[in-house]
């Protein structure tokens, strides 16, 4: 089936450094999402993105977070500067939107971020 | 506001048994979709089944079916003839069909173990 690719699969960085998580969504999908998951628990909505703009962001999407998809390339989540509480697995997802067959999300395999 | 609740943090069954996982939700919209996903131990999110709010018929897909009680804002996932390979964390998710933002909100998940 359609695949969402995430790079890197694992990143370890020191607190205060910048990190960029990359997502290659399913081609022809229009909506892109980032979710945060800690220790295999709740999949928490961070932000979603459509037509070059943030559609909605949650309280977890701090000022240090930003997203973009320059020129239709990777959909990125940047955290600058990172904090210890940013350690988590970040999942990217994409969908064709409500007009699609089911509107389901297709997920990547996650990027595990460890902040020391 | 969208909210999804899964009150069973864990569950277990024996091989061959039918398993029911519960989910309740809050929405002020009339048109919405409920999705069920399974997260494997690797972290991969697998789409299982979805129920559109405007369809009164309970959806089925292979060994998965749902019991949709729209008036109670409740939907249960039923797994027939459970197998050890069905072990994992099951997430219920809500998407409002005509939302301005296309946000998808997940519950806290139910970790299921199917014993051989």
């Amino acid at each position: 089936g359609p695949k969402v690719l995430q790079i890197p699969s694992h990143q370890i960085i020191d607190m205060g450094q910048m990190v960029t998580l990359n997502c290659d969504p399913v081609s022809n999908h229009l909506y892109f999402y980032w979710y945060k998951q800690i220790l295999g628990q709740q999949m928490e909505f961070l932000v979603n993105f459509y037509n070059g703009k943030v559609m909605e962001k949650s309280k977890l999407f701090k000022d240090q977070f930003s997203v973009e998809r320059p020129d239709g390339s990777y959909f990125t989540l940047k955290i600058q500067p990172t904090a210890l509480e940013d350690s988590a697995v970040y999942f990217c997802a994409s969908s064709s939107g409500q007009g699609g067959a089911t509107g389901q999300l297709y997920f990547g395999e996650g990027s595990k971020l460890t902040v020391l | 506001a969208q909210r999804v609740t899964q009150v069973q943090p864990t569950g277990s069954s024996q091989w061959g048994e039918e398993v029911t996982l519960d989910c309740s939700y809050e929405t002020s919209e009339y048109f919405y979709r409920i999705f069920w996903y399974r997260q494997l131990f690797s972290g991969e999110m697998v789409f299982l089944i979805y129920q559109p709010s405007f369809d009164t018929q309970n959806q089925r897909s292979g060994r998965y079916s749902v019991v949709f009680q729209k008036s109670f804002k409740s939907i249960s996932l039923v797994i027939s003839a459970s197998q050890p390979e069905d072990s994992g964390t099951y997430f219920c998710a809500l998407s409002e069909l005509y939302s301005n933002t296309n946000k998808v909100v997940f519950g806290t998940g139910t970790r299921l173990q199917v014993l051989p």
Side-chain angles (χ1 to χ4, degrees), chain A residues 33 35 37 48 56 98 105, chain B residues 33 37 39 95 101-102 104:
Chain A
Y33 302 75
Y35 286 86
Q37 188 179 44
N48 65 345
E56 185 169 347
Q98 302 291 9
L105 296 181
Chain B
R33 288 165 164 152
Y37 287 84
Q39 187 171 39
S95 172
T101 67
N102 220 41
V104 182

Side-chain angles (χ1 to χ4, degrees), chain B residues 25 32 34 51-59 66-76:
Chain B
Y25 55 89
Y32 53 87
I34 303 289
Q51 175 75 47
S53 63
F54 49 80
D55 192 341
T56 56
Q57 191 165 16
N58 291 327
Q59 300 301 300
V66 298
V67 177
F68 182 42
Q69 299 181 290
K70 186 174 180 178
S71 59
F72 294 109
K73 291 197 166 73
S74 162
I75 183 165
S76 298

Side-chain angles (χ1 to χ4, degrees), chain A residues 2-83:
Chain A
K3 292 284 188 185
V4 174
L5 300 177
Q6 287 189 241
I7 302 168
S9 56
H10 193 181
Q11 178 116 28
I12 301 173
I13 59 171
D14 291 324
M15 183 176 64
Q17 285 190 313
M18 182 194 76
V19 68
T20 300
L21 305 180
N22 299 291
C23 172
D24 187 10
V26 176
S27 62
N28 81 357
H29 277 188
L30 302 175
Y31 291 85
F32 313 117
Y33 302 75
W34 283 105
Y35 286 86
K36 178 181 181 181
Q37 188 179 44
I38 296 176
L39 294 176
Q41 296 182 18
Q42 185 167 9
M43 190 71 73
E44 297 189 275
F45 173 81
L46 281 177
V47 65
N48 65 345
F49 192 85
Y50 168 76
N51 199 25
K53 297 177 196 171
V54 169
M55 299 300 290
E56 185 169 347
K57 53 187 180 182
S58 72
K59 292 178 184 175
L60 293 177
F61 195 80
K62 304 179 295 183
D63 292 342
Q64 298 90 321
F65 287 42
S66 62
V67 290
E68 63 175 355
R69 193 186 188 208
D71 299 326
S73 59
Y74 286 143
F75 175 52
T76 63
L77 173 65
K78 184 185 290 186
I79 309 174
Q80 180 179 27
T82 50

Side-chain angles (χ1 to χ4, degrees), chain A residues 3 31 33 35 37 39-45 48 55-56 58 91 95-109, chain B residues 2 4 33 35 37 39 42-47 50 89 91 93 95-109 111:
Chain A
K3 292 284 188 185
Y31 291 85
Y33 302 75
Y35 286 86
Q37 188 179 44
L39 294 176
Q41 296 182 18
Q42 185 167 9
M43 190 71 73
E44 297 189 275
F45 173 81
N48 65 345
M55 299 300 290
E56 185 169 347
S58 72
F91 286 91
S95 82
S96 56
Q98 302 291 9
T102 67
Q104 75 186 76
L105 296 181
Y106 291 81
F107 281 87
E109 297 197 347
Chain B
Q2 293 170 259
V4 177
R33 288 165 164 152
F35 302 92
Y37 287 84
Q39 187 171 39
S42 65
E44 181 182 354
M45 291 285 281
V46 178
F47 167 74
Y50 90 108
T89 302
F91 290 97
S95 172
E96 293 173 342
L97 210 59
Y98 296 114
S99 154
N100 290 334
T101 67
N102 220 41
K103 178 179 172 182
V104 182
V105 174
F106 283 77
T108 48
R111 193 175 186 110

